[in-house]
Amino acid sequence: MRIIAITGLALSGLMFSASAFACENVLDPQQVQVYHPGKYCLSANRILPIEIQGSNIELDCRSRSVIAPPGAGAGPAGIRAHGENVIVRNCRVDGFDHGIELDARGASQLVNNTVVRAKQAPLLVHGNRDPYAEPIRVTGNRVFGYFDVEPAWSQQPAIQVIGLNRAILSNNVVAGFRGGRSGLMLVDAPDTQLIGNQFLDFEGSDRMIRLEQSPRARVVHNTIMQRDPSVLQGIAGAVDATCVENVFINTQRSGFSECAVTRHNVERPLPPQGP
């Protein structure tokens, strides 16, 4: 009887999981705009961008790719979403100016997406700082910059968050950017939580995590790992921040001294120069 009960629980869990991520609408390869509430998915790679305008919409690419076509006409973003409770998950976006742009309203999320070869900020999230909206979540995304297209865009951050209250960025990975880009920039984003993010293998960045007009950030369990001490400062602008158990390796200055609260951080700064 016990085995039967356990099996029943397992089957019910699988059924719940399947229903939670069920695809109600397979997006037509020629369809660009999505307006109506529902769960959408991709059945194949595509070269046209996707624009979501509405609320209670979920797009699950199921690991398929949105690939910019060669030449002009690719559009400013591979996926652009505007609305409340909009979720974009499991998408791979390749070669657009912005990989994913989210004009965030309450409860919206970017989950488990991958962006490569973006010419400007690969993940751009902005909103209107509604203090009552449910926090925006950016979770488990990957941004790779090993395929730089134009050095002229080298000053764009990998992840940029503008005008949001209480956003939560967790377990994202940014790797391989070159030429002065920062890993993450917060602008006018108070009370943001940065938890478990990794910034790996950068070259020439001046500030890896930049906080501008973004007080009371919680910076916890983040990692910066460099092969060489090429990042000028690990975190900048953290005047009101709480910085706990972060690991910064080969940053020239960690920036932890700016944090209002700092505990159990690990830093390996630039080795001493001279004989």
Side-chain angles (χ1 to χ4, degrees):
M1 292 294 293
R2 184 178 179 183
I3 294 175
I4 293 173
I6 293 173
T7 303
L9 285 172
L11 288 173
S12 64
L14 287 172
M15 292 174 63
F16 176 80
S17 176
S19 63
F21 298 103
C23 178
E24 299 169 351
N25 307 281
V26 176
L27 203 62
D28 185 276
Q30 301 304 312
Q31 181 179 351
V32 173
Q33 283 85 19
V34 178
Y35 298 108
H36 301 294
K39 296 184 177 182
Y40 297 81
C41 65
L42 300 186
S43 60
N45 297 340
R46 57 183 284 150
I47 60 172
L48 291 179
I50 299 171
E51 184 164 345
I52 297 170
Q53 291 279 349
S55 298
N56 303 312
I57 296 173
E58 177 175 340
L59 172 66
D60 186 345
C61 293
R62 296 185 169 180
S63 299
R64 269 81 180 206
S65 296
V66 181
I67 305 169
I79 299 173
R80 174 179 282 178
H82 171 87
E84 184 172 357
N85 191 26
V86 173
I87 301 173
V88 178
R89 66 170 79 242
N90 302 325
C91 299
R92 185 179 187 276
V93 184
D94 184 347
F96 288 84
D97 287 353
H98 300 293
I100 303 175
E101 180 181 354
L102 174 62
D103 184 3
R105 299 295 183 265
S108 295
Q109 301 180 55
L110 301 180
V111 183
N112 196 36
N113 301 290
T114 300
V115 178
V116 299
R117 297 198 296 184
K119 298 176 182 178
Q120 300 185 32
L123 293 181
L124 174 60
V125 184
H126 50 88
N128 61 359
R129 277 195 58 182
D130 182 352
Y132 303 106
E134 186 173 335
I136 307 304
R137 296 177 182 269
V138 180
T139 304
N141 301 283
R142 296 160 298 278
V143 176
F144 298 115
Y146 290 102
F147 312 101
D148 282 350
V149 180
E150 287 285 350
W153 281 291
S154 63
Q155 298 304 316
Q156 292 289 328
I159 302 174
Q160 188 167 7
V161 176
I162 305 172
L164 291 179
N165 277 338
R166 302 179 295 120
I168 301 171
L169 286 77
S170 61
N171 300 320
N172 302 288
V173 177
V174 182
F177 276 80
R178 301 288 184 268
R181 295 179 178 179
S182 59
L184 169 65
M185 177 182 289
L186 304 181
V187 180
D188 194 24
D191 301 297
T192 296
Q193 297 186 50
L194 308 178
I195 304 171
N197 303 288
Q198 299 182 57
F199 304 93
L200 311 174
D201 193 22
F202 278 59
E203 287 186 8
S205 298
D206 58 353
R207 306 286 190 275
M208 186 63 71
I209 300 173
R210 301 180 63 175
L211 311 181
E212 297 184 6
Q213 300 177 353
S214 301
R216 301 178 300 278
R218 296 191 73 247
V219 185
V220 180
H221 294 166
N222 300 281
T223 300
I224 298 173
M225 179 71 73
Q226 304 297 115
R227 290 175 295 177
D228 301 306
S230 56
V231 175
L232 181 63
Q233 189 159 343
I235 185 169
V239 177
D240 297 324
T242 297
C243 303
V244 178
E245 294 186 347
N246 302 283
V247 178
F248 290 1
I249 304 298
N250 269 348
T251 55
Q252 295 186 34
R253 295 191 301 274
S254 68
F256 292 138
S257 61
E258 297 184 8
C259 301
V261 177
T262 177
R263 295 193 303 269
H264 309 303
N265 298 293
V266 176
E267 57 180 302
R268 181 183 171 188
L270 180 69
Q273 302 298 312

